[in-house]
Amino acid sequence: MYVAVIPNRGSPPAILLRESYREAGKTKNRTLANLSRWPAERIEQLRAVLRGDKLLPAGETVEIVRALPHGHVLAALGTARRIALDAVLPRRAPQRRRDLALALIVARLLEPAAKLATARMLDPATASHSLGEMLGLGKVAAKEVYAALDWLGREQRFIEAKLARRHLQDGSLLLYDVTSTYLEGRCCELAQHGYSRDHRSDRPQIVIGLMCTADGCPIAVEVFEGNTADPMTLAAQIDKLKQRFHLQRVVMVGDRGVLTSARIEQALRPAGLDWITALRAPAIKQLAAAGGPLQPSLFDHHDMAEITSPDYPGERLVVCKNPLLAEERTRKRAELLAATEKELARIATRVQQARSALRGAAVIGQAVGAVLGRRHMAKHFQITITDEAFSFAQNPLSIAAEAALDGIYVVRTNLPAAQSDAAATVRAYKSLSGVEHAFRSLKTVDLELRPVFHWTARRGCARTSCSACWPIICNGTCARASPRCCSTSPIRPRARHSVPHRWPRRSPHRRRNARPRANAPTQ
């Protein structure tokens, strides 16, 4: 007997059970049954029986085991061990605590999540990958995760000192920059309202200072109150370099918002440290004034020149001009001027209209001030306001004076030319982009620190999630996997909303003035 499949033109084929026999020396077939209505699995089983295969129950021949994702775990954990990341952790702690801390670091790289979710992905009963099994953690409770974080926070000074011995020495180039991240909650002592780089002025925040080597490898991180100004964070870093890292002379590289003239005179110079920073726009404007050392003829043959000024004794000023930056600033200024002029023209129309006109110099000035302050274009317009009239015009002299400095920036340093020439000084200042890349990766792309969902400064918010984990993670798998401190894409990309949804979420099809449901929650 055998199973035959008979084509049936446009209809499904007929599946028949047939047998062959011989009659008068000829081979003939006869149909025993029509199997067309049988499911495919049963037909295959019948074919196996007819072939003489031995069939057994599935439970007797197949062992069912759990399969966990393993490739990304092997890559991250293997890299961490290859660069001796676990050697950074203090050896005086129990082995399980060190393994759990290493698991938290790698888990943050693989799948950033809350502490409770991390405990669940490591526990064998609810594991989402093989990391817990690779480290032999066994059952993991949430309180163990928090205890490991508390331990990392207490050991931060030891960890940072060990990283400094590994990567820094006297005369090293040190990059320093500041960022902030907002928080969800009201109980963190460090959370304060301040300048939000995340454009979330409605949320309290913390300020984070990150210290990196010249190649962008983070060494130490410190967390400050959310209303701390950027220059005010520098003194703590100098004390850390002198007292904890025992470095007598390093070159601090910071942007113009951190290494200000006041910080240089009050903090860096008394400490005997060198610096590389840049001048602010008003200082550049003073250098470019009539008779000043910064003149357009400097860029006739080269886009870089070195000058000196009596306002900066004992320092070198490297003047650079970036044509691409000049084009971008010209384009942006033209767009801002056009948008501001359009809104000012709208206000002028409201003043001149017959009905519901703007009247009074105070009322008109308030409307004009709001427009000019939105795009900071007041310096480029000449405004005339009376009780019943309003006129405006662009100021060509102001626009031309600003356009003359488009694309020009000035790098400031006290290093002698023999130690760092003009090109090396500019390269050192531009290497700050590595710190900015670290901030982007740590806050959004890789580690997803933002926003912070912790209650107190002691647990998670500042002392552990930021202070302890960042230097270890960045000096670990991320640091050696790419030229900069973090990778440009997450290991497991996941779609997430950049801003958390707020309740209630308005339906796009709901009418604006529709009456809410009786049991709907209110804001």
Side-chain angles (χ1 to χ4, degrees):
M1 290 186 292
Y2 63 96
V3 177
V5 179
I6 309 300
N8 196 9
R9 295 189 179 181
S11 301
I15 302 177
L16 306 176
L17 178 61
R18 289 184 166 182
E19 70 172 351
S20 300
Y21 65 95
R22 299 182 69 85
E23 183 178 329
K26 295 182 179 180
T27 302
K28 295 184 178 181
N29 299 313
R30 59 170 168 257
T31 301
L32 302 179
N34 190 340
L35 309 180
S36 300
R37 294 183 179 274
W38 280 26
E41 295 81 1
R42 186 182 297 178
I43 295 174
E44 290 300 323
Q45 292 174 2
L46 178 59
R47 283 176 172 164
V49 171
L50 295 176
R51 288 195 303 266
D53 296 344
K54 183 178 181 181
L55 304 182
L56 297 174
E60 298 181 8
T61 57
V62 178
E63 181 183 359
I64 301 176
V65 296
R66 187 179 182 186
L68 295 175
H70 180 64
H72 60 317
V73 173
L74 186 62
L77 186 59
T79 304
R81 286 172 169 168
R82 178 173 56 83
I83 64 173
L85 174 60
D86 49 352
V88 179
L89 301 175
R91 294 187 177 276
R92 55 180 173 269
Q95 184 64 36
R96 176 172 175 79
R97 177 162 291 181
R98 299 175 69 250
D99 290 341
L100 189 57
L102 181 61
L104 294 179
I105 295 169
V106 177
R108 193 71 186 182
L109 292 170
L110 300 177
E111 189 173 349
K115 307 304 176 294
L116 179 59
T118 303
R120 289 172 177 171
M121 74 176 66
L122 294 175
D123 192 272
T126 55
S128 60
H129 46 65
S130 62
L131 179 59
E133 183 178 348
M134 289 284 294
L135 293 173
L137 296 177
K139 186 174 180 58
V140 178
K143 63 180 181 180
E144 286 188 287
V145 172
Y146 280 103
L149 287 176
D150 292 340
W151 172 70
L152 283 174
R154 292 191 299 269
E155 298 293 342
Q156 177 191 353
R157 298 171 64 91
F158 174 85
I159 295 171
E160 290 182 346
K162 200 164 186 178
L163 293 175
R165 289 195 299 270
R166 178 184 293 186
H167 298 288
L168 295 180
Q169 58 185 353
D170 279 327
S172 297
L173 203 67
L174 200 60
L175 312 179
Y176 179 69
D177 204 356
V178 175
T179 189
S180 61
T181 182
Y182 65 94
L183 289 88
E184 298 289 348
R186 303 183 301 275
C187 300
C188 179
E189 297 87 344
L190 298 177
Q192 300 289 338
H193 286 276
Y195 171 67
S196 177
R197 297 163 179 82
D198 303 328
H199 306 289
R200 292 301 303 269
S201 57
D202 59 326
R203 292 286 187 271
Q205 65 176 15
I206 54 175
V207 173
I208 305 157
L210 183 62
M211 192 182 299
C212 299
T213 61
D215 57 354
C217 183
I219 296 297
V221 66
E222 189 163 350
V223 182
F224 305 89
E225 293 185 354
N227 57 358
T228 305
D230 294 358
M232 296 296 103
T233 65
L234 188 61
Q237 310 309 313
I238 296 176
D239 293 341
K240 184 182 300 184
L241 290 172
K242 290 284 188 177
Q243 299 176 9
R244 289 169 48 188
F245 299 163
H246 305 291
L247 297 174
Q248 300 304 317
R249 194 167 189 88
V250 296
V251 182
M252 291 287 293
V253 183
D255 62 17
R256 63 200 77 188
V258 177
L259 300 187
T260 61
S261 297
R263 293 304 97 198
I264 290 175
E265 297 300 328
Q266 299 175 11
L268 289 178
R269 201 183 295 274
L273 302 183
D274 300 319
W275 64 85
I276 297 176
T277 184
L279 296 182
R280 293 176 178 267
I284 297 177
K285 193 173 182 180
Q286 291 179 1
L287 292 176
L294 176 54
Q295 298 299 323
S297 59
L298 292 173
F299 307 107
D300 289 344
H301 302 288
H302 301 282
D303 291 336
M304 181 186 303
E306 189 170 328
I307 62 175
T308 58
S309 172
D311 296 333
Y312 306 95
E315 299 183 22
R316 298 161 51 222
L317 303 178
V318 182
V319 185
C320 305
K321 184 172 184 179
N322 187 339
L324 299 179
L325 180 61
E327 294 178 4
E328 176 64 18
R329 288 184 176 175
T330 302
R331 180 197 63 79
K332 188 175 182 178
R333 180 173 52 252
E335 292 180 356
L336 293 175
L337 287 172
T340 304
E341 191 168 8
K342 183 178 180 180
E343 294 190 13
L344 292 177
R346 196 174 295 139
I347 295 177
T349 303
R350 293 178 58 192
V351 172
Q352 297 173 1
Q353 65 187 9
R355 299 179 59 184
S356 302
L358 288 178
R359 289 292 183 266
V363 177
I364 299 174
Q366 185 177 5
V368 172
V371 171
L372 295 178
R374 188 176 301 120
R375 298 182 177 88
H376 307 286
M377 288 286 107
K379 56 187 174 182
H380 294 324
F381 283 92
Q382 297 174 343
I383 304 296
T384 303
I385 299 176
T386 63
D387 288 337
E388 298 181 353
F390 163 64
S391 62
F392 67 92
Q394 292 188 9
N395 186 351
L397 296 179
S398 173
I399 296 174
E402 185 178 273
L405 299 178
D406 282 349
I408 294 178
Y409 58 97
V410 181
V411 179
R412 173 187 180 186
T413 183
N414 69 331
L415 292 175
Q419 183 176 350
S420 177
D421 59 9
T425 302
V426 174
R427 283 196 302 269
Y429 180 74
K430 288 185 176 182
S431 63
L432 281 173
S433 61
V435 187
E436 297 173 356
H437 179 81
F439 285 145
R440 287 192 298 271
S441 297
L442 293 168
K443 291 167 64 175
T444 57
V445 179
D446 287 314
L447 304 185
E448 298 185 9
L449 177 75
R450 182 181 64 189
V452 178
F453 292 93
H454 291 280
W455 284 53
T456 63
R458 181 184 67 85
R459 171 156 287 179
C461 161
R463 303 295 183 242
T464 53
S465 286
C466 300
S467 298
C469 294
W470 277 25
I472 306 173
I473 293 173
C474 294
N475 280 274
T477 336
C478 287
R480 305 304 173 85
S482 64
R484 290 300 177 185
C485 73
C486 284
S487 59
T488 56
S489 60
I491 297 178
R492 295 183 62 187
R494 293 168 295 147
R496 285 199 174 191
H497 298 287
S498 57
V499 178
H501 290 299
R502 301 177 185 173
W503 180 268
R505 292 195 290 181
R506 188 183 301 276
S507 171
H509 304 293
R510 184 177 177 182
R511 292 183 290 111
R512 181 180 298 274
N513 297 324
R515 184 171 59 185
R517 293 180 285 108
N519 58 350
T522 58
Q523 286 183 326

